[in-house]
Amino acid sequence: MSANPGSENRRLLLHRRPEGIPTAADFAHVSDAVPTPAEGEIVIRNHYASLDPAMRGWMDAAPSYMPPIALGDAVRATVIGRIAASGHPDFPEGRWAMTLGALEDYSVAAAGGFTQLIDADAVPSVTNYLSVFGAVGLTAYFGLLRIGRPTPGDTVLVTGAAGAVGSLVGQIAKIKGCRTVGIAGGPEKCARLTERYGYDAAIDYRDKDVSALDAAIRDAAPDGVDVIFENVGGDIFDAGLLNLNEGARVALCGLISEYNREPVGARNLWQLIVKSARIEGFLIRDFLDEFASGAVEMGSWLADGRLAFDEHVELGLDQAVPAFLKLFSGANNGKMILQIANDDGSAA
């Protein structure tokens, strides 16, 4: 399990800004020299990278909560790996660390802040720091509990419910005494919602317009919806808005249906007025100071067998683009993770 740097740094660069769904031509594979850390920096031999829908937004030039990825730069991603070289005494070589790096063999990062040491022996798999104990799990936790504010007996509607975040949202809502309705694509994913993640009802959005989705939600939640955890947008979001209860809360986590097209906007926002409801967007960084407490509670639920989660690991940096595109086709089953290196540090 050597952390010694290799002789090259394979990198996936953003070659041009995608129009619609990204294609292989939007990216370039290159090999550069392995970086050397300056004082206060570390170089991580990346073993795993998180592939997330938000990365699509970073590829555009539009304003966002992070600056766009510059053309010719490596594609930004959260990574975990072993420290290959260190310019900081508190981050020794060989230790596992996590940072906002890139899809590349080696990422250089400033020690501290988001760059943290992680304990691989404290979790069943080190990849869990990219799923249930990482941004995915904490997004579900804080998004539902702090933004959605469910109370026992509430009905919680989750869109993108079979995804990495949505699958955990439904389970946390059940732990908090709520009734859960999940929306996903296809009979297999809908079956997983009820059989593995404990949803009370599942709705297949495929081949349904707003009217049909509205009817399906009313059938699954005849007493209305108190909380919507929104991951998708588009027609699915519009149908959900038609089923709000008085004083409902909408936690806006993502709009994946609109990331690869011109946004159409929600047409039924007027329901927020009709129902005196509230919608609030959020980012996981909003809760940085509470990460430790959230992770502890998530860990206790996991230890008690109250949470199920899935990870979808694709092998090899050369598979980064096909793996990323699975997020938009729905072909992934669980948190999408790219394995870049083997346990011994060799290329995967």
Side-chain angles (χ1 to χ4, degrees), residues 3-337:
N4 293 330
S7 59
E8 65 174 359
N9 185 21
R10 300 173 302 152
R11 313 177 76 208
L12 181 71
L13 308 185
L14 183 64
H15 174 63
R16 67 184 185 190
R17 303 215 179 273
E19 295 183 5
I21 297 176
T23 68
D26 297 324
F27 306 93
H29 290 269
V30 301
S31 291
D32 292 334
V34 176
T36 300
E39 184 177 355
E41 293 181 336
I42 61 173
V43 172
I44 298 177
R45 177 26 168 153
N46 297 328
H47 283 237
Y48 299 95
S50 176
L51 300 182
D52 301 290
M55 295 164 63
R56 176 61 184 85
W58 304 340
M59 297 174 190
D60 290 334
S64 184
Y65 60 92
M66 294 186 70
I69 301 170
L71 294 180
D73 278 2
V75 175
R76 187 186 302 138
T78 300
V79 296
I80 54 176
R82 289 185 179 272
I83 299 174
S86 178
H88 193 290
D90 294 337
F91 288 76
E93 294 179 11
R95 289 288 304 275
W96 283 94
M98 177 170 63
T99 192
L100 183 60
L103 297 180
E104 56 192 358
D105 283 320
Y106 295 89
S107 290
V108 61
F114 186 77
T115 304
Q116 301 178 3
L117 294 176
I118 56 177
D119 184 359
D121 295 327
V123 292
S125 170
V126 71
T127 56
N128 297 164
Y129 286 107
L130 297 178
S131 61
V132 66
F133 292 120
V136 165
L138 294 176
T139 294
Y141 180 90
F142 289 112
L144 178 65
L145 300 184
R146 297 289 193 274
I147 307 300
R149 300 204 310 266
T151 59
D154 279 353
T155 293
V156 177
L157 176 68
V158 183
T159 68
V165 172
S167 60
L168 290 169
V169 171
Q171 295 177 79
I172 296 170
K174 292 294 292 183
I175 289 171
K176 295 299 181 178
C178 299
R179 185 172 186 275
T180 54
V181 178
I183 302 180
E188 182 180 340
K189 288 192 174 182
C190 285
R192 193 159 76 244
L193 290 185
T194 55
E195 295 170 6
R196 177 159 175 77
Y197 304 136
Y199 274 86
D200 294 294
I203 297 170
D204 186 351
Y205 69 79
R206 291 183 179 175
D207 300 320
K208 291 183 176 68
D209 59 11
V210 173
S211 177
L213 286 165
D214 175 26
I217 294 170
R218 289 181 187 279
D219 183 60
D223 295 325
V225 173
D226 301 291
V227 178
I228 296 179
F229 194 101
E230 186 57 51
N231 291 304
V232 178
D235 287 352
I236 294 174
F237 184 28
D238 269 330
L241 290 171
L242 292 173
N243 288 271
L244 296 178
N245 280 335
E246 194 79 16
R249 288 82 62 198
V250 179
L252 186 58
C253 180
L255 297 167
I256 192 171
S257 73
E258 303 191 4
Y259 292 168
N260 293 307
R261 68 178 187 183
E262 192 70 24
V264 297
R267 290 160 293 186
N268 291 322
L269 282 175
W270 60 278
Q271 284 294 318
L272 296 173
I273 301 171
V274 172
K275 298 297 185 179
S276 298
R278 175 178 62 84
I279 184 171
E280 184 175 351
F282 70 96
L283 295 169
I284 188 58
R285 69 182 185 191
D286 299 339
F287 305 97
L288 186 62
D289 293 342
E290 300 180 74
F291 274 17
S293 61
V296 167
E297 188 160 31
M298 291 285 284
S300 68
W301 292 335
L302 188 66
D304 291 342
R306 303 177 76 183
L307 286 181
F309 68 97
D310 295 297
E311 297 177 347
H312 184 138
V313 180
E314 294 279 338
L315 190 64
L317 189 58
D318 60 340
Q319 294 301 306
V321 175
F324 176 62
L325 294 181
K326 288 183 178 180
L327 294 170
F328 303 98
S329 67
N332 60 304
N333 292 305
K335 175 70 189 81
M336 180 60 79
I337 296 171

